[in-house]
Amino acid sequence: MYIDVYQPSPPNNVAIADIFHHMAACYRYMGKDHYDQVQAYDRAATCLRRLPVDIEVFRSRLREVTGLTDVIRGEIMEYLEAGCIQHYQRFKNKVPFELLELLEIKGFGPSTVKLLHETCGIQNKDQLITALQYGRLDDVGEISPVKLDLLKRSLKLHKTSSNRLLLWDALLQGNEILRVLRLIKGVAHAEIAGSLRRGCETIGDLDIVLQVDEPEREQVTTQILQLPHIESVVLSGRNRICVVLYNHTQLDIRMAGATAFGASWLYFTGSREHLLHLSDLAEQKGFTLTPEGLFDSMGNHVAGANEEGIYQQLDIAFIPAELRESGKEIRRAARHMLPNLLAHHQVKGDLRMHVDEHLHDSIATTAHYVMNAFPHYEYIVAAAHGDTQDKKGLAAWISNIDRINEQIGWTFLKKGLTVEILQDGTPALPASLLQQFDWVTGIVLNDTEKEVTQRLLTACEHPFIHCIGNPSNRIIGKKKPSIVNWELLFEKAAATSTALEINAQPSRMDLRDEWVRRAVEKKVYLAIGSCAAIMRQVDYMQLGVTLARRGWCKCENILNTMHWDAIEQFKLSRENALSLTNIKHV
């Protein structure tokens, strides 16, 4: 039986092929008079990448390797003997080397790159980015608005708040693209990278890293560019493909070999600050970190096939993607003090769902869906809207929950209530009604643009408000958060054993990750609610888990990782905490 085993290209072949690829770009920049050299070096690079054995084997018989000129054979011998090619080193000083990758952008020829370099005085990528950001190229007549847009997209400068995707929308689209890419022959491995992998609340573009062997990249690129999701191509190069999808989202695909896949995945996951601090640490330890891998002072490749190997070589703990933001996580990892982050399978239930009995997805239908789709769930809190139902309606809600639980055979559904917190901090419904519910979440509905701290502090003191929901009241991109003194709120919530909610709705993601982390530091318990209104929104729980992970939450910080008996104990602890302050409500 034939078994197809992936074999990475020999290191000498890859190194020399990279040099020849760059030399072809140098000649391409110099103009049409050097067409033959461009073809010769491109052909030699392709030949070396497809050669199954190290070119060293042919040191004394290079003429047996077809597709090489005598000059190129001499340069290969020079590299094998000296580790470099002098012609290439001299070439790099004659052309704007950092700008040559712009030749991979659709519609960018040597004349445009020469214009940027010779007329606009741009020497490198940093200068180009600065010129674009300050609009210095807008009035250069030879560069059309279309080319400027392609240039900005290639450098990831096109992103604005108006064209960013919510995390959930980006996840759906990214996973669909990932599923298709994994089916392409030649793609050995594919993973989401960038801000989407880190779980940021909004996403500017999609980043995906592929493991593709060098000889397979041309045909893989061809297949990718034929995908029906693509509206236009920004650039197509040996290691990178950049396209615009039909919803105007940019997709960046990076290709790496087996020995570099982990390094590329790490590099293109980011964040920029994380990579800067990680590169500094690598330098301190005598290494160099690049998208190709981790190299020692002698240039030897010591890690890069996977991320874990890189962190291990640097003698620090593996850092989950959600924590790779500020660089502070690296110091914690160096002391092996990172938290064991919350995992989705540890969640035992959903602490706020809103299901309208009059809609198609009834409470009973949703309960059965959740039991099948999330078999590890032990309960869900089906929350009534206290602001839209009278006492009679709430009584009917309670009876309906009891009836459905009787049909199920156990108390899977918990009686929930979302109640408005009035301006004086009291709930809009009497305590006699609130105490009939298993879980009560208080929210601010009116005057949310004003200072609401005192309202929330007072609500924390109410014995039958177990959780503060929508703590900041923001709606991403539409509504600014309320003014809250978070330190006072965290202190009060901790003192009264009042939970704060992580609302997992894509447009809310409330609390924000930095406040989640601060709440954890203050010993505040957090409750994740999908706030699902229809069945398919129950899946929003994964956004809540992602947000909790970005806030450094462990399992013990999240209430709904507990069995319901433990949540009842939490409620009892509230009563004890409030009794010590002699606070009473009627």
Side-chain angles (χ1 to χ4, degrees):
M1 182 175 63
Y2 172 75
I3 300 176
D4 185 13
V5 179
Y6 171 77
Q7 294 292 336
S9 300
N12 276 334
N13 297 14
V14 173
I16 300 172
D18 282 345
I19 291 174
F20 288 165
H21 173 79
H22 290 139
M23 290 179 72
C26 291
Y27 278 116
R28 190 173 288 113
Y29 172 82
M30 293 172 68
K32 295 180 180 179
D33 292 342
H34 299 277
Y35 176 82
D36 290 342
Q37 289 96 326
V38 171
Q39 293 297 304
Y41 281 104
D42 271 340
R43 187 167 55 247
T46 301
C47 173
L48 286 167
R49 292 191 186 103
R50 292 178 175 174
L51 197 64
V53 297
D54 198 304
I55 192 66
E56 175 75 34
V57 174
F58 296 91
R59 177 192 283 261
S60 60
R61 45 196 178 94
L62 279 176
R63 290 193 174 276
E64 295 180 17
V65 181
T66 59
L68 306 179
T69 66
D70 289 340
V71 171
I72 287 174
R73 290 190 181 98
E75 289 172 341
I76 291 174
M77 284 297 298
E78 182 183 357
Y79 181 88
L80 293 176
E81 292 172 359
C84 66
I85 298 174
Q86 289 299 319
H87 180 198
Y88 174 56
Q89 299 302 321
R90 291 192 298 270
F91 231 154
K92 289 168 66 175
N93 297 322
K94 293 181 179 179
V95 299
F97 194 72
E98 283 194 40
L99 300 182
L100 295 185
E101 65 182 52
L102 299 181
L103 294 171
E104 296 178 345
I105 299 175
K106 184 179 179 181
F108 268 66
S111 60
T112 305
V113 180
K114 283 184 178 180
L115 176 70
L116 292 172
H117 175 55
E118 297 174 1
T119 305
C120 302
I122 294 173
Q123 307 290 330
N124 53 50
K125 188 180 291 186
D126 287 340
Q127 291 179 2
L128 177 59
I129 290 173
T130 301
L132 285 168
Q133 288 175 332
Y134 285 92
R136 294 172 186 163
L137 302 181
D138 294 353
D139 297 326
V140 179
E142 295 88 340
I143 304 179
S144 68
V146 173
K147 282 189 176 181
L148 274 179
D149 182 65
L150 290 171
L151 190 54
K152 289 176 181 178
R153 284 188 174 275
S154 72
L155 297 169
K156 291 181 173 284
L157 298 178
H158 68 290
K159 295 177 278 189
T160 65
S161 58
S162 62
N163 62 15
R164 297 184 70 86
L165 295 174
L166 293 175
L167 176 58
W168 183 254
D169 296 331
L171 272 173
L172 293 178
Q173 188 168 21
N175 285 327
E176 167 60 18
I177 296 291
L178 192 66
R179 181 189 66 81
V180 174
L181 292 176
R182 285 173 172 169
L183 296 175
I184 294 178
K185 184 180 179 181
V187 176
H189 196 49
E191 295 291 350
I192 285 173
S195 55
L196 179 54
R197 185 187 177 204
R198 301 199 312 274
C200 298
E201 61 191 34
T202 63
I203 309 300
D205 48 38
L206 304 177
D207 294 277
I208 292 178
V209 177
L210 306 181
Q211 180 184 317
V212 182
D213 192 10
E214 287 275 2
E216 304 288 341
R217 291 188 189 175
E218 185 175 346
Q219 64 91 10
V220 167
T221 298
T222 300
Q223 291 187 66
I224 290 174
L225 296 180
Q226 292 174 350
L227 294 179
H229 311 71
I230 296 172
E231 180 180 30
S232 61
V233 178
V234 176
L235 68 84
S236 174
R238 186 171 53 88
N239 297 321
R240 181 187 176 195
I241 300 169
C242 178
V243 298
V244 179
L245 306 177
Y246 273 103
N247 67 342
H248 307 300
T249 300
Q250 180 168 315
L251 169 64
D252 273 291
I253 298 174
R254 309 280 180 162
M255 290 186 281
T259 58
F261 177 79
S264 291
W265 196 20
L266 171 64
Y267 197 87
F268 296 112
T269 292
S271 66
R272 177 180 172 85
E273 289 75 14
H274 178 82
L275 290 174
L276 286 173
H277 285 83
L278 197 63
S279 296
D280 287 344
L281 177 65
E283 189 174 341
Q284 292 169 19
K285 293 178 178 286
F287 297 105
T288 300
L289 179 63
T290 75
E292 285 73 44
L294 188 68
F295 297 86
D296 64 17
S297 58
M298 301 298 292
N300 298 311
H301 185 276
V302 296
N306 54 64
E307 293 180 322
E308 291 83 355
I310 295 173
Y311 286 112
Q312 186 175 4
Q313 279 288 339
L314 297 177
D315 195 27
I316 63 176
F318 176 80
I319 302 175
E322 296 91 340
L323 303 186
R324 302 177 194 174
E325 290 295 342
S326 66
K328 295 178 182 178
E329 66 278 359
I330 294 175
R331 293 194 291 272
R332 293 285 294 272
R335 300 195 298 271
H336 295 270
M337 292 176 62
L338 292 177
N340 187 14
L341 295 182
L342 171 72
H344 192 277
H345 72 270
Q346 295 174 314
V347 175
K348 292 181 168 60
D350 192 329
L351 280 174
R352 185 151 71 112
M353 291 176 55
H354 288 295
V355 182
D356 191 331
E357 188 61 37
H358 300 290
L359 295 178
H360 176 70
D361 295 342
S362 68
I363 303 173
T365 304
T366 301
H368 284 94
Y369 166 76
V370 173
M371 292 171 67
N372 283 282
F374 303 89
H376 59 291
Y377 275 19
E378 299 175 5
Y379 51 83
I380 58 175
V381 174
H385 290 277
D387 59 316
T388 60
Q389 297 191 39
D390 55 20
K391 292 182 180 181
K392 186 177 179 180
L394 292 174
W397 181 274
I398 291 172
S399 298
N400 195 26
I401 297 292
D402 288 334
R403 178 181 57 80
I404 296 170
N405 280 333
E406 187 176 347
Q407 292 173 354
I408 293 173
W410 54 294
T411 55
F412 180 66
L413 289 172
K414 304 301 177 183
K415 306 178 188 76
L417 178 67
T418 300
V419 63
E420 180 184 0
I421 300 171
L422 301 176
Q423 290 194 3
D424 62 358
T426 60
L429 295 171
S432 59
L433 184 57
L434 300 185
Q435 62 186 331
Q436 298 178 46
F437 289 85
D438 298 312
W439 188 256
V440 178
T441 300
I443 61 173
V444 174
L445 289 177
N446 298 311
D447 299 323
T448 56
E449 71 282 357
K450 298 180 181 178
E451 165 73 56
V452 298
T453 303
Q454 189 55 52
R455 271 195 268 181
L456 298 180
L457 297 180
T458 302
C460 286
E461 296 173 346
H462 196 285
F464 301 119
I465 293 180
H466 309 117
C467 177
I468 303 297
N470 307 348
S472 76
N473 296 298
R474 71 163 180 168
I475 299 178
I476 297 172
K478 296 181 179 179
K479 180 181 176 184
K480 292 182 179 180
S482 300
I483 301 171
V484 180
N485 186 322
W486 293 106
E487 293 299 314
L488 285 180
L489 179 58
F490 295 151
E491 290 171 5
K492 176 65 76 172
T496 59
S497 292
T498 302
L500 296 183
E501 183 185 59
I502 294 177
N503 184 326
Q505 285 279 321
S507 61
R508 287 193 179 271
M509 299 286 281
D510 186 8
L511 289 169
R512 294 188 64 162
D513 48 17
E514 62 262 38
W515 295 124
V516 169
R517 183 174 181 183
R518 188 61 181 146
V520 168
E521 292 170 352
K522 289 287 189 176
K523 311 298 183 186
V524 176
Y525 279 103
L526 298 161
I528 305 177
S530 68
C531 299
I534 53 179
M535 281 193 298
R536 65 175 179 267
Q537 294 179 354
V538 178
D539 293 338
Y540 289 164
M541 178 58 69
Q542 64 181 286
L543 297 187
V545 171
T546 296
L547 185 51
R549 288 171 63 88
R550 284 179 61 82
W552 295 56
C553 284
K554 298 181 288 187
C555 174
E556 52 264 37
N557 303 129
I558 305 297
L559 274 176
N560 36 329
T561 62
M562 302 178 183
H563 301 293
W564 192 260
D565 287 346
I567 292 180
E568 290 291 347
Q569 288 298 314
F570 169 79
K571 291 162 61 178
L572 182 61
S573 73
R574 291 199 74 248
E575 295 179 19
N576 296 333
L578 292 172
S579 66
L580 293 176
T581 58
N582 295 316
I583 297 172
K584 296 182 179 179
H585 291 263
V586 294

